[in-house]
Amino acid sequence: MTGLLTAVLIVVFSIGPAFIEKRFNLTTNEPLESVSQEAQALHQSLTVVDLHADSLLWGRDLSKLSDYGHVDIPRLLQGNVALQVFTSVTKVPTPLLLEGNTSDSDNVIKLAILQRWPVRTWFSLTERAIYQAKQLQKLAKKAPDTFKVIETQQDLNDYLSQKQSEEQPLTAGLLGIEGAHAIEGKLDNIDRLYKEGFRIIGLSHFFDNQVAGSAHGVSQKGLTSFGKDAIQRMEELGMIVDLAHASPQTINDVLKITNRPVLVSHTGVQGTCKGARNLSDSQLQQVATNGGVVGIGFWKTATCGDDVSAIIKAIRYVVDKVGIDHVALGSDYDGAVRVPFDVAHLDQVTQGLRQDGFTDSNIKQIMGLNVINLLKQSLPA
């Protein structure tokens, strides 16, 4: 009986994480449009940046090509991605609602146990974030010739120079956090997370926390008093505020006090798709006035569509409303969403932008340079 139980546990812990991920990180499986030679050539010349992937949550070996999920190093290279923001997810409620979530439940603990994360992560959201950060650092050590981790302006400049000068394909990652509940109400934890390499903190995720209200939460309140102190500390360290998932009041509160450009890493816009967390025209204008950048998501509740045309429509809307300098890609890859294509096929977006009449210069900005410019002025020196 003991042997049978051991065998069952081995099978569960071995194949369980992959079985779960295959149910959540999906593509639509619709045939993709053939990419023209001109679009392919343009795409290969771009500095492509995507602002959001939750790939660290699932325990997949990201150094190897997978036939499921959305992101790994081989597919980043296939997609000519210069920089992928990898975001640490530390707590998700169950059931997961678009509105009205409380913080009483915790779905991530199941993945942590199934993937045999250290016991300390079972009881601490900060430790969960740190564990995921260390997984990215291990990935860089495992694939040093093809993958770098960016933490400073100098890292970024050196990496971009190296990528341009070397013939060997090269990609990089930057660490973010999805929801400031990961700091557990302690300013000192911001410093701990900074030391582990985190440079972007999303203030809220699917529920309200000690820092800020969530668009999906109960209160719809804004920044707390502690939240204001947290932003001040983040700015002192050179960390970037991410307003994805934030309540409208949180967005207003942050943009009144911040001295630095913000990100909205992955979102939609109300102008093309109504939704609890999609940005209004007024919010777009506030972010643009701040000098910030909005990452357009690829999933259905962000774009109200299942194909590249819906993504392009949202990008076009932002450009028409606030200008070319304030829009970027924010896929939400590996975020338990269904998207039209994985990271290897980002040339679909390049082609879609060309077909919509954007110039090559415009496309370079949208596909990455807007984010690169923000990082060059916002990352710690």
Side-chain angles (χ1 to χ4, degrees):
M1 191 65 170
T2 301
L4 177 60
L5 178 59
T6 300
V8 169
L9 289 174
I10 290 172
V11 171
V12 168
F13 286 111
S14 297
I15 70 172
F19 175 80
I20 292 172
E21 185 179 6
K22 287 176 181 179
R23 294 178 56 209
F24 286 101
N25 295 327
L26 304 172
T27 58
T28 59
N29 288 324
E30 294 296 324
L32 297 179
E33 184 177 339
S34 179
V35 178
S36 70
Q37 290 184 348
E38 293 82 4
Q40 288 178 16
L42 174 59
H43 188 79
Q44 290 304 311
S45 74
L46 302 176
T47 302
V48 180
V49 181
D50 179 63
L51 281 170
H52 198 89
D54 294 329
S55 314
L56 298 173
L57 180 64
W58 303 98
R60 203 165 11 98
D61 184 351
L62 300 180
S63 70
K64 297 179 179 179
L65 178 65
S66 294
D67 60 1
Y68 63 96
H70 302 141
V71 172
D72 48 51
I73 289 179
R75 283 184 283 182
L76 286 169
L77 296 174
Q78 289 174 38
N80 190 39
V81 177
L83 183 64
Q84 176 68 63
V85 176
F86 288 94
T87 313
S88 171
V89 178
T90 60
K91 185 175 178 178
V92 177
T94 180
L96 185 60
L97 307 173
L98 290 178
E99 299 181 72
N101 294 299
T102 69
S103 61
D104 298 337
S105 57
D106 177 11
N107 230 0
V108 172
I109 185 63
K110 301 171 187 176
L111 280 174
I113 293 171
L114 192 59
Q115 295 175 30
R116 291 170 290 174
W117 291 13
V119 173
R120 65 181 181 273
T121 67
W122 299 5
F123 309 104
S124 167
L125 304 186
T126 305
E127 291 295 343
R128 291 181 192 177
I130 290 172
Y131 174 77
Q132 291 175 66
K134 291 187 182 301
Q135 298 309 108
L136 195 70
Q137 300 291 350
K138 288 180 181 177
L139 182 63
K141 292 179 180 178
K142 190 172 185 179
D145 296 330
T146 54
F147 183 75
K148 310 291 182 183
V149 176
I150 305 300
E151 296 183 1
T152 66
Q153 293 178 29
Q154 189 65 55
D155 288 345
L156 181 61
N157 290 330
D158 290 348
Y159 161 70
L160 292 174
S161 296
Q162 183 182 3
K163 182 174 174 60
Q164 187 173 19
S165 63
E166 289 192 4
E167 293 184 3
Q168 180 171 333
L170 192 61
T171 188
L174 180 72
L175 275 166
I177 290 177
E178 189 145 44
H181 41 272
I183 68 178
E184 298 184 322
K186 301 174 184 177
L187 289 179
D188 288 348
N189 279 338
I190 298 177
D191 292 71
R192 287 185 67 196
L193 294 169
Y194 176 86
K195 290 177 182 177
E196 295 293 339
F198 287 100
R199 294 296 179 264
I200 300 170
I201 294 184
L203 299 186
S204 53
H205 195 197
F206 274 102
F207 53 88
D208 306 327
N209 59 43
Q210 305 99 318
V211 169
S214 166
H216 317 279
V218 175
S219 74
Q220 294 300 309
K221 292 182 179 179
L223 274 181
T224 65
S225 177
F226 173 74
K228 294 175 183 177
D229 293 338
I231 286 180
Q232 181 179 345
R233 185 58 185 149
M234 289 169 60
E235 292 193 340
E236 289 169 353
L237 292 170
M239 300 177 86
I240 299 166
V241 173
D242 181 3
L243 294 176
H245 292 284
S247 70
Q249 189 59 53
T250 295
I251 294 173
N252 289 338
D253 290 349
V254 170
L255 292 175
K256 286 178 182 176
I257 67 170
T258 185
N259 297 312
R260 290 155 46 85
V262 301
L263 289 173
V264 188
S265 63
H266 58 304
T267 188
V269 290
Q270 297 283 352
T272 69
C273 186
K274 301 295 184 184
R277 57 170 288 201
N278 293 348
L279 298 181
S280 68
D281 290 357
S282 174
Q283 289 166 340
L284 285 174
Q285 189 60 61
Q286 286 177 277
V287 172
T289 300
N290 162 269
V293 174
V294 173
I296 294 299
F298 292 2
W299 72 101
K300 191 166 186 175
T301 55
T303 66
C304 288
D306 285 321
D307 57 17
V308 68
S309 66
I311 300 168
I312 304 303
K313 185 178 179 181
I315 291 172
R316 169 60 75 182
Y317 189 88
V318 177
V319 172
D320 288 347
K321 286 294 179 181
V322 298
I324 194 69
D325 298 330
H326 304 288
V327 68
L329 308 182
S331 64
D332 201 16
Y333 280 143
D334 290 328
V337 292
R338 185 190 298 266
V339 293
F341 42 79
D342 65 14
V343 75
H345 296 96
L346 281 176
D347 55 0
Q348 292 283 320
V349 180
T350 300
Q351 172 155 284
L353 292 170
R354 290 185 82 245
Q355 291 172 339
D356 199 62
F358 286 99
T359 67
D360 288 0
S361 177
N362 291 160
I363 293 170
K364 288 177 181 178
Q365 286 187 255
I366 295 166
M367 294 296 289
L369 291 187
N370 285 337
V371 177
I372 294 296
N373 290 337
L374 185 148
L375 294 177
K376 283 185 174 181
Q377 62 178 303
S378 298
L379 287 175

